[in-house]
Amino acid sequence: MPATEESGDEALYVLTAVLLTPAQFPSVLGDDYPEACAVLGLEPYETGYGLVLGQDGGGARWTVVTDDVSLVACAIATWDCGMEYALAIDDRTVVASLPGWPLAVAVAAPGVPAPHDPAPGAELGADASRAPLTPPDSERWGPAQRRLGADEIALQWAIWREQVDSDVTFVAPGEKPHGGVRRVLEEARGYLASPPPTGRIRSAFASGDARTLRADGPGWSMVARTDDIAFVLLDDAPGEVLPVGRGPELPELLTALDKLAVRPH
């Protein structure tokens, strides 16, 4: 729900906000938290950041980075409940103001020009010398699209689960798993011996005692529930979703990965 926040002499019309923390960050930015921070030129501090996406009075797109994570988390939770919340950022908490948006935003601020990138040298109390942030191209398949696909599966688990036979097995008798899946499982097991960068493995509430587990690596993403199966997406298999049944090995792997995972506070 749009709100207005004053930043110096400029007004930012807030359209949406997201968290950038070790446990919750926009997957389009990277496979892990440090990688996502690097895309925005930020240090991967453990406390994380809030990203506020909005428009200035001329309609230009801006992403304001704040270290007041709790304020942004409160706003997001309130909006998710369908309630209004005027997100006002204290200038003292602003870490950076970056031109453009890293995510696709379907709404625009009323009463200002249509969303567009700031003109070179334009400022919202910030440096606009860098190239504007842009959302990933939805017409091509690559790491960002693979991670977005995994996000969608995690969000719509029940729908995706219904499309898989209940008797799917980890490895069908007498067969080897898909070569890409085999590589993913081997690399995921490797995380147990050599923990990956923060955020490569994330765990979120599912239902009951189960957790939704998300793991990413070079060229792959895996989404699983600790009490069920897993789905794998690969950079070199555009648009393909590969199910991995429980069988004798997957439950133990998922349990071990969950112990390494970062979790939302």
Side-chain angles (χ1 to χ4, degrees):
M1 296 183 180
T4 305
E5 175 251 322
E6 297 294 332
S7 179
D9 296 329
E10 295 285 344
L12 179 71
Y13 296 88
V14 177
L15 300 179
T16 189
V18 293
L19 294 178
L20 176 63
T21 68
Q24 294 175 274
F25 56 87
S27 293
V28 295
L29 296 178
D31 285 325
D32 53 57
Y33 175 62
E35 186 177 319
C37 287
V39 170
L40 302 179
L42 304 171
E43 290 295 323
Y45 295 129
E46 184 178 350
T47 51
Y49 306 91
L51 305 181
V52 180
L53 281 61
Q55 295 174 261
D56 65 19
R61 306 180 185 95
W62 291 93
T63 298
V64 175
V65 183
T66 174
D67 59 14
D68 193 342
V69 180
S70 59
L71 175 69
V72 174
C74 181
I76 294 171
T78 304
W79 294 335
D80 286 347
C81 292
M83 301 167 62
E84 294 188 6
Y85 188 99
L87 177 55
I89 306 169
D90 189 323
D91 282 351
R92 293 171 296 181
T93 73
V94 173
V95 176
S97 294
L98 307 174
W101 296 332
L103 311 172
V105 178
V107 295
V112 301
H116 60 272
D117 290 333
E123 293 189 2
L124 183 76
D127 171 24
S129 60
R130 62 172 289 160
L133 299 167
T134 58
D137 182 358
S138 60
E139 297 301 316
R140 59 177 292 272
W141 180 263
Q145 291 76 15
R146 176 250 302 166
R147 292 188 293 261
L148 284 172
D151 288 347
E152 184 64 22
I153 292 172
L155 187 65
Q156 304 287 344
W157 177 268
I159 294 174
W160 284 92
R161 185 63 180 89
E162 288 176 357
Q163 299 180 40
V164 179
D165 293 336
S166 60
D167 61 350
V168 63
T169 56
F170 187 73
V171 180
E175 295 182 9
K176 292 183 178 181
H178 181 284
V181 169
R182 186 164 62 250
R183 176 177 65 83
V184 168
L185 296 175
E186 290 171 354
E187 292 187 14
R189 287 192 198 94
Y191 287 165
L192 306 182
S194 180
T198 303
R200 283 276 177 104
I201 312 172
R202 289 170 279 161
S203 177
F205 174 78
S207 60
D209 294 329
R211 306 288 298 182
T212 296
L213 194 66
R214 172 66 178 275
D216 293 275
W220 60 268
S221 293
M222 180 170 69
V223 185
R225 273 186 50 143
T226 52
D227 64 345
D228 204 352
I229 67 172
F231 292 98
V232 166
L233 293 88
L234 304 168
D235 281 357
D236 57 8
E240 195 171 352
V241 178
L242 304 168
V244 183
R246 283 182 71 76
E249 300 178 54
L250 190 65
E252 182 179 348
L253 175 61
L254 296 181
T255 298
L257 290 174
D258 189 55
K259 291 178 180 178
L260 291 179
V262 288
R263 303 184 177 208
H265 295 300

